């Protein structure tokens, strides 16, 4: 590149070995030097089968670019702002997270960025939220590290590398948008041909109750993938693009933020679930074991969010208290804290039965397979769910004057909208939660928080 | 005793302790996360509360070389929208993103300045403190007077919801790319024009200087040049150089479309590129061989005369006291207008809450997958922007939009009924109108959000409730109406407007009209530019292509909308209360999809011939307003009020009234249907409020709904037109398969109807009159009481069979706590979707419709089907009737759309059913003769098949199968049998359920049928 600001004297670089194709060109950490202006501190680049398209100087130029204009930044301390560039002239997409941090005793504006080719725009957009949320949290940790004068790069590396691996795995194993129903359990001649009827019902029901967020674990990759594809039938197009099939030979790691992911057990028949990552998922998750046909689910959204937040606070607090860089590794699981002991048994049995999925499953198998009838019937079913969710949302909106008043008429809602069965309500609420984040907390939060508070008070005696 | 000072010391300890000695082990909040995500604003709707603007808007800013970043324009241009939001600061923020390091000026090794053709860039950024987020589209315009010839601009979509922007990034990008291309094209044309003028000036200056220099040289001594001569020579050289530079710039700007595009997401048009290649080539030839085409040069010479060149200095002054061109000056006006319209459209399209926008998209995607049942309760699907993009049909905003847009937006364009269309002229460069149409009913979300603004009072007030004027005052509607009103006054009454008209076509119209009017501004400018610059850069093509295009598709009626000459029937004005000289023939050339279903399967012309009585309602229904009317015709007395002042306003609902009714009511009431106009979601949503009121107000609402949903015609009788129309409008929501234009709903009828009309209409608003005609009407009501339900709006009674079931209970619970019509509409939508789903299941569950064992009788199959509904789905008898009726409609619809060509040829076999409890219908698949033996019964043969009918009773109407022919035997006066939709209607074998297999393969079998029982009516009162 012929133009651009002078390069930083020495930009440290980490090359990350990634299996297969990595759509990420580079990741950078830059900061605004009060004397020299934007400077790049570190570059991460993937080392994979395909050569990197950008030179270091180009990466540096682009990284500097992300900080332009940020001298005007007036965000609150601790805020992380996201900037998303599509620079056709350079043919790249840049996702930048801008935050403030202390470097060498000065308060600086910093930018953590990932750079992708512009051709990957459609691939990346559905994954944007996943990447950003994960990067935001690592930045929270990084800021503490910077405040303490420790090296932020190691903290950032602990998330940049998994994100590269995630994007790489999604390139090869993401769920196709147009799932052929023949590849799913809904193509069976009769219910129960491939799996037990009740298992299928529970799996789909719980999957929908947990906002379409599920992990499918098993020893047979074909079996796992069939369930993954079946569950993905109930997702939107964008959500499917955030779902991943299981790899045939070895397992991917669990990735926070994906909707459905297939995970392969190891040779001993076990799969280690990272507690923190599961808890950091934006929605509660359903755990489906296809080997033993079990379905378990995490608590509903408001409880999940509460647990997640408490754990995050504990984790950040533990980092804050760390006496040295080695004292606590960034990805250490925080087990206890003086106020909060996480319940490691986060998956529970599916408690609430529903009628919506039950009738769907009963009825869909009445239609002859192979004639596209079942796909049409599925579309009918999903349309009803989406419409019910919007109706519920509107109902609550009316009742509460858009949240200005507390919602007190749950019983009427159930009667009016034909959601008397608890499982049905959970499913529709889950759909509505995706449309309006925080709805669960708004509707169910207060009694829950009160009961948690009471429990805490009682436990403190 | 402990004194208070002692206590104070204790109480304050903690506070002081906290402030002075913070616990170093407690993490500060700025490094942690809040325990409750919405701690500050505990409700999920309040996330935008801290934004200083009330709703999303579009901001156009410029990085001025004189004053720095500055806001230029907001869309909508209403200060209330931006509130106290600091546009200057935000412009600074979004323009300070240095989006390109683009080179301008003299590159090394080049003697001339180079224009840098940089691609647009897109940035999403935000200001978390201000609560403002923006999609920013940066672009560069060219200005001969600007530094480096470039003027950086950006267009930003500003919203308080970051997620909304990111989730719709691709659509935003697409729309802004189109707007940007439009603006840039206009700018290139203006820039080229400016270069042309400058060249003319320079050439003129050169000639003047040459003359002066020659004179001075001649005046001076030979071989000796004075300082003055030398100065002139230098000046001349500078002008020469300037000419070369400007020619080079002109060449560069003309080659713009030929450059390789680096932006895969740019909205460019291949036809533009091809044309520009050709033009650039010819331009190049003109440059290099100026004498090769004398004709062209002669023409150019003529056009050149329109501009008078001026003497200029060799160097243009570039100082800060000069006035920079405004955005409108930088861009040709028509392009600028088109850009603003595109952006206005974009703002409208993305208005509203994300959850509604998102659900709308999902809703549409899912409905596309269930085409078979959409006709039952769903409004028509149009084509969406993102779908267009997905199909790669990004249409050009510049010159080639015609085909694409016409194809794209036809359905949704027809928001207003025929009359509207007729009085409107081709719209101006109107992407705005396009946008209206495009967004139209699809703007569910915004309207849903807007609908939440309804007050409880409005809902409880009958008068207010149905007044659409209040709705129109809202943003979207208002804009739409305004557009209509702006356009319509210029109407050419002879032309039916294509509201999809190409903006450029319309611009061309403007230009040509200004030419006609003697204004030569555009012509002159175009002429002067024609010497070196390709035509595509100079003006919008008003050529025959577009003009022709407009003539072809712009001025001609659309396929489904055209007023066919044959359909205009001279009528006797004495027959009707009021009408125009012409009436609109109700029988369209092509059979309506909804016609011929079950009891309604007689083709209309046949009705007219065989049942003279039917002519009265026929005329009354259809002749009451000419589609071509522009107001009441002199001499016609309208019973209530003239149409002119209300119905011709351009409102879609009101205009429907014009075509449907002789007497526009004193209140402006929207129809649920638009005669020959597509029933839109918006109309249906408005009707939702009336439906909620009906459900709440009438305890017997459930019975009425059941009548409609089970296929029994409901007549709403009343003396007050407004009330009847409101009721019909509300109840129309429950009519299965109302037809694309609501053909099966007759909102207001002033004449008696006949039995045949019951085939066409499933919901009828009937005027109660104290006259002989009124008596006749009441007679017809009692005569057909077996087949209809009657809702008396005056007496508030309902006469219909009683409903005993549970399927519809949740749809019409008068104790419901649903407060708003919009919410009830959503609820109703999901309930009706559930019904459609079950009907789909019933229709396509194979084993229900096929004989399991050889020789199994039709009745046994029928019993099995009912058994399925009762045992498997747990439905009561009355509920079964609903599903059976819906299933019948689905099957008919499926067969009509899939297999019509096959059915017409079969004329062979005859089927006579003699079940005393039922009347057998001719099987459309097998054909058959129909004979009538019961005067009171109505047989409904398959309309698609045709056939002869023998009528033995003047009151009964048999509907022959046109294709097969045959007589129907009616033996049960109480029952009306219909062809089995699921099976016999035609689906007899498994192949029929598979769209891939031909229907004709199974035609020969005798299908089973079911009997439709009309039970004894009861009277409900409140």
């Amino acid at each position: 590149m012929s133009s651009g600001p002078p390069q930083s004297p020495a930009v440290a670089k980490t090359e990350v070995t990634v299996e297969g194709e990595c759509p990420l060109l580079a990741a950078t950490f830059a900061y605004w030097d009060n004397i020299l202006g934007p400077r790049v501190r570190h570059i991460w680049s993937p080392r994979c089968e395909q050569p990197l398209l950008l030179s270091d100087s180009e990466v540096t130029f682009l990284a500097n670019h992300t900080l332009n204009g940020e001298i005007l930044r007036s965000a609150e301390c601790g805020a992380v702002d996201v900037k998303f560039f599509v620079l056709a002239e350079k043919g790249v997409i840049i996702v930048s997270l801008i935050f403030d941090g202390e470097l060498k005793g000065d308060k600086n504006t910093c930018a953590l960025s990932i750079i992708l080719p512009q051709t990957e725009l459609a691939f990346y957009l559905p994954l944007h939220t996943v990447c950003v949320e994960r990067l935001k949290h690592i930045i929270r940790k990084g800021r503490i590290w910077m405040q303490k004068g420790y090296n932020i790069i190691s903290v950032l590396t602990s998330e940049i590398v998994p994100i590269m691996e995630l994007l790489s795995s999604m390139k090869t194993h993401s769920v196709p948008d147009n799932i052929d129903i023949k590849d799913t359990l809904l193509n069976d001649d009769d219910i129960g041909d491939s799996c037990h009827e009740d298992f299928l019902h529970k799996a789909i029901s719980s999957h929908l109750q947990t906002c379409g967020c599920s992990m499918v674990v098993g020893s047979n990759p074909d079996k796992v993938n069939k369930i993954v594809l079946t569950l993905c039938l109930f997702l939107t197009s964008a959500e499917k693009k955030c779902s991943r099939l299981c790899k045939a030979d070895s397992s991917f790691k669990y990735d926070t933020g994906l909707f459905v992911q297939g995970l392969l057990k190891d040779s001993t028949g076990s799969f280690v679930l990272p507690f923190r990552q599961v808890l950091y998922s934006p929605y509660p998750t359903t755990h489906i074991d296809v080997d033993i046909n079990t379905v378990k689910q995490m608590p509903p959204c408001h409880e999940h969010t509460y647990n997640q937040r408490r754990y995050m606070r504990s984790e950040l607090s533990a980092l804050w208290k760390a006496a040295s860089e080695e004292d606590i590794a960034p990805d250490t699981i925080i087990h206890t804290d003086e106020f909060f002991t996480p319940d490691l048994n986060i998956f529970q049995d599916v408690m609430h039965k529903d009628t919506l999925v039950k009738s769907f499953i009963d009825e869909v198998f009445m239609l002859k397979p192979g004639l596209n009838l079942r796909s049409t019937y599925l579309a009918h079913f999903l349309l009803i769910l989406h419409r019910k969710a919007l109706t519920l949302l509107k109902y609550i909106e009316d009742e509460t004057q858009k949240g200005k008043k507390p919602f007190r008429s749950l019983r009427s809602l159930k009667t009016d909208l034909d959601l008397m069965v608890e499982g049905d309500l959970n499913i529709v609420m889950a759909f509505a939660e995706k449309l309006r984040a925080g709805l669960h907390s708004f509707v169910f939060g207060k009694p829950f928080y009160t009961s948690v508070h009471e429990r805490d008070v009682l436990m403190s005696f | 005793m402990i004194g208070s000072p002692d206590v104070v010391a204790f109480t304050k300890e903690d506070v002081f302790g906290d402030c002075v000695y913070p616990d170093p082990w407690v993490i500060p909040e700025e490094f942690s996360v809040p325990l409750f995500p919405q701690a500050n604003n505990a409700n999920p709707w309040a996330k935008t509360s801290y934004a200083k603007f009330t709703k999303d808007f579009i901001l156009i800013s410029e990085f001025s070389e004189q004053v720095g970043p500055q806001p230029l324009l907001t869309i909508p241009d209403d200060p209330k929208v931006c509130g106290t939001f600091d546009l200057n600061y935000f412009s600074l923020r979004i323009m300070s993103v240095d989006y390109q390091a683009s080179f301008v000026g003299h590159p090394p090794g080049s003697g001339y300045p180079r224009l840098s053709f940089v691609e647009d860039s897109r940035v999403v950024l935000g200001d978390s403190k201000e609560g403002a987020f923006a999609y920013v589209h940066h672009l560069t315009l060219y200005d001969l007077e600007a530094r480096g010839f470039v003027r950086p601009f950006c267009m930003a979509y500003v919203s308080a919801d970051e997620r909304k922007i990111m989730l719709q990034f691709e659509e935003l990008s697409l729309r802004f790319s189109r707007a940007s291309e439009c603006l840039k094209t206009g700018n290139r044309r203006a820039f080229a024009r400016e270069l042309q003028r400058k060249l003319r000036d320079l050439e003129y200056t050169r000639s003047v200087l040459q003359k002066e220099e020659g004179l001075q040289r001649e005046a001076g001594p030979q071989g000796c040049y004075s300082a003055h001569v030398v100065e002139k020579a230098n000046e001349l050289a500078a002008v020469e150089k300037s000419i070369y530079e400007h020619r080079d710039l002109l060449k560069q700007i003309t080659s713009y479309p030929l450059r390789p595009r680096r932006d895969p997401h740019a909205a460019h048009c291949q036809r533009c590129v091809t044309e520009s290649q050709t033009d650039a080539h010819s331009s190049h030839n003109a440059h290099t061989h100026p004498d090769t085409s004398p004709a062209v040069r002669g023409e150019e010479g003529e056009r050149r005369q329109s501009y008078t060149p001026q003497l200029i200095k060799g160097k243009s002054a570039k100082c800060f006291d000069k006035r920079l061109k405004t955005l409108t000056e930088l861009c040709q006006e028509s392009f600028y207008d088109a850009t603003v319209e595109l952006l206005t459209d974009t703002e409208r399209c993305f208005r509203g809450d994300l959850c509604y926008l998102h659900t709308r998209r999902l809703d549409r995607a899912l409905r596309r997958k269930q085409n078979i049942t959409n006709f039952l309760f769903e409004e028509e699907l149009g084509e969406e922007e993102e779908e267009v993009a997905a199909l790669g049909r990004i249409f050009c905003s510049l010159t080639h939009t015609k085909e694409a847009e016409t194809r794209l937006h036809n359905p949704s364009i027809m928001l207003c009924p025929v009359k509207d269309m007729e009085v409107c002229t081709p719209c101006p460069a109107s992407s705005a109108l396009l946008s209206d149409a495009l967004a139209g009913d699809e703007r569910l979300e915004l309207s849903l959000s807007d609908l939440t603004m309804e007050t409880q009072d409005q809902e409880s007030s009958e008068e207010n409730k149905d007044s659409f004027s209040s709705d129109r005052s809202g943003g979207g509607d208002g804009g739409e109406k305004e557009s209509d009103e702006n356009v319509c006054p210029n109407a050419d009454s002879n032309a039916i407007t294509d509201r999809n008209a190409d903006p450029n076509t319309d611009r061309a119209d403007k230009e040509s009209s200004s030419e006609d009017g003697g204004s030569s501004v555009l012509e002159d400018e175009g002429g002067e530019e024609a010497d070196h610059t390709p035509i595509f850069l100079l003006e919008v093509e008003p050529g025959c292509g577009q003009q022709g295009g407009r003539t072809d598709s712009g001025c001609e009626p659309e396929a489904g909308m055209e007023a066919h000459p044959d359909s205009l029937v001279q009528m006797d004005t004495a027959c009707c209360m009021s009408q125009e000289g012409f009436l609109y023939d109700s029988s369209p050339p092509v059979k309506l999809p909804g016609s011929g279903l079950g009891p309604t399967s007689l083709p209309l012309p046949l009705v007219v011939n065989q049942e003279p009585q039917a002519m009265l309602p026929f005329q009354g229904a259809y002749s009451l307003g000419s589609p071509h009317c522009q107001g009441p015709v002199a001499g016609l007395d309208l019973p209530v009020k003239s149409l002119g002042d209300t119905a011709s306003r351009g409102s879609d609902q009101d205009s429907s009234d014009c075509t449907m009714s002789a007497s526009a009511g004193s209140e402006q009431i929207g129809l649920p249907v638009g005669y020959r106009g597509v029933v839109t979601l918006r109309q249906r949503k408005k009707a939702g409020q009336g439906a909620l009121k009906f459900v709440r107000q009438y305890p017997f609402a459930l019975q009425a709904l059941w009548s409609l949903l089970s296929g029994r015609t409901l007549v709403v009788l009343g003396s007050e037109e407004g009330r009847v129309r409101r009721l019909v409008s509300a109840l129309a929501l429950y009519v299965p398969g109302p037809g694309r234009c609501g053909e099966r709903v007759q909102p207001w009828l002033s004449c008696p109807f006949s039995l045949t009309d019951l085939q066409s209409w499933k919901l009828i608003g009937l005027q109660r009159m104290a006259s002989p005609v009124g008596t006749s009407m009441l007679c017809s009501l009692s005569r057909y009481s077996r087949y209809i339900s009657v809702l008396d709006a005056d007496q508030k009674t309902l006469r219909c069979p009683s409903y005993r079931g549970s399927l519809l209970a949740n749809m019409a619970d008068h104790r419901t706590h649903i407060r708003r019509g919009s919410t009830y509409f959503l609820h109703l939508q999901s309930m009706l979707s559930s019904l459609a789903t079950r009907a789909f299941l019933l229709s396509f569950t194979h084993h229900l419709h096929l004989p399991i064992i050889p020789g199994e009788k039709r009745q046994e199959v029928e019993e099995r089907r009912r058994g399925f509904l009762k045992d498997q789905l747990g439905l009561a008898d009355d509920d079964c009737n609903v599903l059976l009726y819906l299933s019948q409609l689905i099957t008919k619809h499926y067969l009509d759309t899939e297999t019509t060509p096959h059915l017409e040829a079969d004329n062979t076999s005859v089927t006579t059913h003699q079940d005393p409890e039922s009347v057998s219908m001719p099987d459309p698949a097998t054909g058959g003769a129909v004979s009538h033996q019961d005067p009171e019964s109505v047989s409904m043969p398959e309309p698609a098949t045709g056939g002869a009918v023998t009528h033995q009773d003047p009151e009964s109407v048999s509907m022959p199968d046109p294709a097969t022919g045959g007589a129907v035997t009616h033996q049960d006066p109480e029952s009306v049998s219909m062809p089995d939709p699921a099976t016999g209607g035609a689906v007899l074998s498994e192949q029929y359920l598979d769209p891939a297999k031909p229907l004709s393969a199974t035609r020969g079998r005798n299908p089973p049928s079911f009997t439709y029982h009309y039970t004894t009516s009861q009277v409900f009162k409140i």
Side-chain angles (χ1 to χ4, degrees), chain B residues 193-204:
Chain B
R193 185 194 304 159
E194 195 183 359
L195 279 170
Q196 291 285 334
R197 287 182 173 178
K198 190 73 182 287
L199 272 171
R200 297 280 308 280
D201 291 345
L202 286 168
E203 283 168 359
Y204 174 70

Side-chain angles (χ1 to χ4, degrees), chain A residues 10 18 40 44 77 83 104 108 110 139 149 159 180 182-183 186 194 216 279 331 336 366 378 407 415 419-420 433 438:
Chain A
V18 181
V40 178
W44 293 264
C77 186
K83 286 206 289 189
K104 301 173 189 170
N108 297 92
C110 307
I139 285 171
E159 195 62 62
D180 190 344
K182 288 177 183 164
D183 299 329
L186 295 192
S194 299
V216 185
L279 202 61
D331 55 350
T336 55
M366 292 176 189
L378 175 69
F407 182 64
T415 313
L419 295 171
M420 293 301 288
E433 175 77 29

Side-chain angles (χ1 to χ4, degrees), chain A residues 3 61 65 68-70 72-79 81-91 107 118-119 121-122 125 128 136 140 143-144 147 236-237 240 283 305-306 309-310 312-313 316-317 320-323 359 363-364 366-368 370-371 373 375-384 386-388 390-391 393-400 402-405 412 415-418 434-439 441-442 449, chain B residues 24-38 42-46 89 92-93 96-101 117-129 162-163 166 169-170 262-265 353 355-356 358-359 362-363 366-367 369-370 373 378 444 448-449 451-452 810 813 815-820 822-823 826-827 829-831 833-834 836-838 840-841 844-847 868 872-873 990 993-995:
Chain A
S3 59
F61 168 79
H65 187 100
N68 278 337
E70 290 306 327
L72 301 166
R73 192 165 189 266
S74 62
E76 287 175 2
C77 186
D81 293 332
V82 183
K83 286 206 289 189
F84 180 71
F85 300 84
V86 179
L87 303 179
E89 199 61 28
K90 310 291 175 198
K107 202 107 178 171
Q118 194 186 352
T119 48
L121 181 64
L125 278 175
H128 176 74
K136 268 187 181 175
R140 287 186 198 114
R143 288 184 70 245
I144 295 175
Q147 184 72 16
T236 65
S237 177
K240 282 177 201 161
Y283 299 115
T305 310
Y306 180 79
R309 291 277 164 165
R310 288 202 74 167
M312 270 185 188
R313 287 170 68 91
L316 295 172
S317 183
W320 181 260
K321 288 173 190 164
S359 353
E363 289 163 10
V364 77
M366 292 176 189
L367 295 165
K368 199 173 171 107
L371 295 178
L373 294 173
S375 299
T376 309
Y377 193 68
L378 175 69
H380 274 282
F381 175 65
L382 292 176
L383 183 66
I384 292 169
H386 283 294
R387 286 183 168 176
K388 277 184 179 287
L390 195 65
T391 311
L393 208 51
K394 189 76 173 43
Y395 188 99
I396 297 173
E397 193 176 303
D398 294 347
E399 287 289 321
T400 62
K402 290 198 170 183
K404 292 191 185 83
K405 296 196 306 189
S412 303
T415 313
D416 291 338
L417 304 186
D418 196 17
K434 286 197 277 187
L435 291 173
R436 177 83 60 198
L439 188 72
S441 300
F442 180 69
Y449 301 141
Chain B
W25 297 109
V26 175
I27 183 169
E29 275 305 307
E30 66 189 70
F31 288 97
S32 187
V33 290
L35 186 55
F36 304 106
Q38 283 102 15
N43 85 73
W45 285 269
Y89 172 77
L92 179 64
R93 177 125 175 89
S96 63
V97 179
D98 179 16
Y99 70 100
Q100 307 291 353
F117 296 138
V118 290
E119 299 287 356
D120 296 354
S121 74
R122 305 158 183 88
V123 183
V124 177
L125 50 79
D127 191 326
S128 55
K129 196 174 183 183
E162 186 179 17
R163 192 162 164 256
M166 279 315 296
F169 180 87
E170 282 180 306
R262 288 179 291 267
D263 184 2
H265 300 101
D353 196 295
C355 69
Y356 295 111
H358 185 60
T359 308
L362 295 174
D363 198 285
L366 289 168
R367 275 189 291 143
K369 294 181 182 172
Q370 51 185 55
T373 54
E378 308 290 344
L444 152 76
L448 279 171
S449 300
L451 280 170
T452 61
N810 208 256
D813 182 1
R815 294 163 302 181
T816 182
H817 292 82
I818 293 175
R819 291 162 183 253
R820 297 180 187 279
S822 51
T823 310
L826 289 173
H827 174 59
Q829 260 196 327
S830 63
M831 298 304 291
S833 297
S834 301
T837 304
R838 290 192 154 187
F840 174 85
L841 180 73
F844 292 97
T845 302
H846 281 55
H847 70 273
F868 166 79
Q872 299 276 333
L873 304 185
E990 294 184 4
L993 298 180
D994 185 356

Side-chain angles (χ1 to χ4, degrees), chain A residues 207-315:
Chain A
H207 172 65
L208 295 179
Q209 288 180 39
T210 53
C211 306
C213 199
S214 298
M215 64 172 101
V216 185
V217 184
S219 305
N220 182 344
D222 294 334
K223 208 171 170 184
V224 169
N225 282 341
K226 200 164 187 178
I227 294 278
V228 168
L229 290 172
T230 305
L231 297 180
C232 283
L233 285 175
F234 298 86
L235 299 182
T236 65
S237 177
E239 289 166 354
K240 282 177 201 161
K241 288 172 188 164
C242 270
S243 301
R244 189 175 62 192
L245 294 166
C246 133
K247 199 158 64 166
D249 45 359
S250 62
S251 183
F252 292 121
K253 287 178 189 166
Y254 173 85
D255 266 303
T256 303
L258 296 183
F259 276 91
V260 182
Q261 47 189 319
L263 302 165
L264 203 62
K265 289 180 181 173
D266 60 17
S267 54
T268 64
S270 62
F271 182 85
V272 179
L273 267 180
F275 174 81
R276 191 186 57 189
Q277 274 92 324
V278 175
L279 202 61
Y280 282 2
S281 170
Y283 299 115
T285 305
T286 293
H287 179 282
I288 299 168
D289 190 324
V290 295
D291 291 344
I292 51 175
N293 285 356
T294 57
V295 180
K296 294 191 176 281
Q297 65 178 192
M298 291 169 78
C301 290
H302 56 289
E303 285 188 51
H304 173 71
T305 310
Y306 180 79
N307 292 338
Q308 185 188 74
R309 291 277 164 165
R310 288 202 74 167
Y311 189 83
M312 270 185 188
R313 287 170 68 91
S314 301
E315 187 186 25

Side-chain angles (χ1 to χ4, degrees), chain A residues 96-112:
Chain A
S96 266
L97 290 92
I98 314 293
F99 58 98
D100 60 321
E102 204 162 299
L103 278 171
K104 301 173 189 170
D106 282 339
K107 202 107 178 171
N108 297 92
T109 302
C110 307
L112 176 65

